[in-house]
Amino acid sequence: MFSRIFVITIVGMMCLFMLTLTANAQEPILGPYLWMFVKLAQDQGGQLATNVDSLAAASNNTVTEDVVAKNGATEGDTVGDYQWTFADLPDNGNINDVAKQAGFTEVDLDDVTSYALYTYTSDKDQEATMKTGSDDSIKVWLNGEVVFTNATNRGAARWQDEFGISLKQGDNLLMIKVSDRGGGWGMHAGILETPFVAPIPIVEITTNWLWTMVKLEANQGGQLATDVDSLSAATDGNVTEEKVAKEGATEGDTVGDYKWTLADLPSNNNLNDLVNQAGIAEGGFDDVTAYGLVTLVAAEDMENVAFVAGSDDSIKVWLNGEVIHTNAVNRGTRKWDDEFTGNLKKGNNLLMVKVSDRGGGWGVAFGIRGTVETAYLPGDQLLNVEAAGKFITTWGKLKGAK
């Protein structure tokens, strides 16, 4: 029976409370989940394991994903070397911590798959939205049916995936499979009891950027440089972030040792590659900040437009002179870690992106959920040119992304 997901060993209201937790996408489901882990062959985790029935492989086909997704499991039952065990998911989503706390292992695991079972109780039949994040690949079943699959190798973030589900009144059995290739291993999951609305597709902004860079003091890049005005520091106060964010800049103008230069963002989003290919500078850089300017041309006023970004390391974004996003963090570039909103006016809108690197990789990805054109306008022309018929780079030529 469906109720086999939990063996009732705790009496009264405590048990009922465990069975009827609900959550929304802002409040991740942390459990308790009923967990199973399966070790995989070397180099076969993550993306490659997404559609492999590891439960069947570990049990000589006596237990399968299909059976467990439909009927649940019982605490203490074995699959291969492990037993189904209750444990909460920590808020950071780290499954390695779950495996250690539940007694599966004493060390972090690679090439491994986790299965997490949870009963979600709905007070009515309804359409809902589910959001997930995972490191690496993820597959989700609801009441025995696959509702989402993402065969990928990536780091976990909230929220990377969003999809619609149909909840029935009463108990709904959720099974989440996360396969890890190596390094981090984690998941996030939440359910919002509102109908799913497909997000507007992301259009990646890669063309008509104007770039410059500023070298920083050793160990002062990345997170520490986020709110430091490096333009001002490089020009003895003659050029400031506030001024450029409002008025733009002109190709060939200098900032310290470097010039503002037109360059498209490369497909790998690597800023070291960009500055080398554009002739801004030569070599690899640590403790450095890049500034990118682009004009977004809107056919009409657009409120609460969603922007998305990923950066290595920290990022700050201005739109028409106002800061609309700041993330003072040291991290690697992933699409899309950050999502935020801004208002576009009809015509020209100046966007400035600042990416500060502490060490190692240095990169940025930037996109918008909406229809715009991109253009380069010199600083002295930006505020005086109308949008209609002036720009040759159209939205259709921007790079589409999921």
Side-chain angles (χ1 to χ4, degrees), residues 341-360:
T341 62
N343 297 327
L344 295 174
K345 63 185 180 182
K346 182 179 179 180
N348 305 319
N349 298 265
L350 180 62
L351 181 82
M352 183 168 83
V353 177
K354 172 185 180 179
V355 180
S356 298
D357 176 59
R358 170 58 192 86

Side-chain angles (χ1 to χ4, degrees), residues 28-336:
I29 299 172
L30 301 180
Y33 290 94
L34 190 59
W35 295 91
M36 175 55 65
F37 298 87
V38 178
K39 278 290 293 172
L40 311 174
Q42 185 175 354
D43 300 330
Q44 296 304 300
Q47 185 180 51
L48 295 178
T50 312
N51 294 314
V52 175
D53 189 334
S54 298
L55 293 178
S59 67
N60 294 321
N61 292 314
T62 60
V63 179
T64 67
E65 290 178 346
D66 183 64
V67 168
V68 175
K70 290 178 179 177
N71 302 317
T74 301
E75 183 183 17
D77 283 355
T78 60
V79 176
D81 297 329
Y82 302 109
Q83 295 182 344
W84 287 98
T85 302
F86 278 115
D88 287 330
L89 180 70
D91 187 64
N92 65 5
N94 192 322
I95 300 177
N96 273 306
D97 287 350
V98 174
K100 294 173 187 176
Q101 293 165 9
F104 287 96
T105 181
E106 295 181 354
V107 297
D108 288 356
L109 298 173
D110 294 329
D111 292 308
V112 62
T113 289
S114 65
Y115 293 89
L117 293 167
Y118 183 84
T119 298
Y120 185 94
T121 302
S122 174
D123 61 3
K124 61 185 177 182
D125 293 341
Q126 60 180 310
E127 300 302 308
T129 299
M130 186 166 183
K131 291 187 177 184
T132 57
S134 64
D135 181 344
D136 291 294
S137 73
I138 188 167
K139 193 169 187 176
V140 181
W141 290 257
L142 181 65
N143 297 326
E145 301 294 330
V146 176
V147 293
F148 182 73
T149 301
N150 193 348
T152 183
N153 290 335
R154 66 181 180 186
R158 298 180 190 170
W159 299 97
Q160 294 163 303
D161 310 311
E162 185 173 343
F163 49 94
I165 57 174
S166 297
L167 296 170
K168 65 181 181 180
Q169 184 175 9
D171 290 343
N172 294 265
L173 178 58
L174 185 68
M175 183 167 84
I176 304 173
K177 171 185 179 179
V178 177
S179 297
D180 176 59
R181 169 59 192 87
W185 182 26
M187 82 175 197
H188 302 282
I191 294 175
L192 181 63
E193 293 187 349
T194 58
F196 172 70
V197 177
I200 299 170
I202 295 169
V203 178
E204 190 168 356
I205 299 173
T206 60
T207 59
N208 290 321
W209 288 93
L210 187 66
W211 296 93
T212 196
M213 60 178 276
V214 178
K215 279 288 293 174
L216 311 173
E217 296 293 329
N219 303 322
Q220 296 303 302
Q223 185 180 49
L224 294 178
T226 312
D227 294 317
V228 175
D229 189 336
S230 298
L231 293 178
S232 179
T235 62
D236 294 325
N238 292 322
V239 179
T240 67
E241 291 179 344
E242 181 180 17
K243 179 179 176 64
V244 175
K246 290 179 179 179
E247 301 176 12
T250 300
E251 183 181 16
D253 286 352
T254 58
V255 176
D257 297 328
Y258 305 103
K259 293 182 178 180
W260 285 99
T261 303
L262 280 170
D264 291 345
L265 190 64
S267 59
N268 64 1
N269 305 109
N270 189 312
L271 287 173
N272 273 304
D273 288 351
L274 183 148
V275 299
N276 279 269
Q277 293 166 8
I280 299 173
E282 295 182 358
F285 296 92
D286 295 327
D287 293 307
V288 64
T289 289
Y291 292 89
L293 290 166
V294 66
T295 299
L296 304 181
V297 187
E300 59 185 1
D301 291 343
M302 302 166 64
E303 293 186 354
N304 296 317
V305 178
F307 294 92
V308 292
S311 62
D312 183 343
D313 290 299
S314 73
I315 188 169
K316 193 169 187 176
V317 182
W318 292 256
L319 181 63
N320 294 325
E322 301 295 330
V323 175
I324 60 170
H325 178 65
T326 301
N327 194 349
V329 64
N330 291 335
R331 65 180 179 188
T333 306
R334 292 197 300 262
K335 299 177 182 177
W336 301 94

Side-chain angles (χ1 to χ4, degrees), residues 334-393:
R334 292 197 300 262
K335 299 177 182 177
W336 301 94
D337 281 349
D338 302 339
E339 184 158 347
F340 47 96
T341 62
N343 297 327
L344 295 174
K345 63 185 180 182
K346 182 179 179 180
N348 305 319
N349 298 265
L350 180 62
L351 181 82
M352 183 168 83
V353 177
K354 172 185 180 179
V355 180
S356 298
D357 176 59
R358 170 58 192 86
W362 180 31
V364 65
F366 200 89
I368 185 173
R369 296 187 189 273
T371 303
V372 295
E373 298 178 358
T374 67
Y376 158 66
L377 289 177
D380 59 355
Q381 296 181 26
L382 177 66
L383 301 179
N384 301 314
V385 179
E386 295 298 325
K390 298 294 183 181
F391 309 113
I392 62 173
T393 301

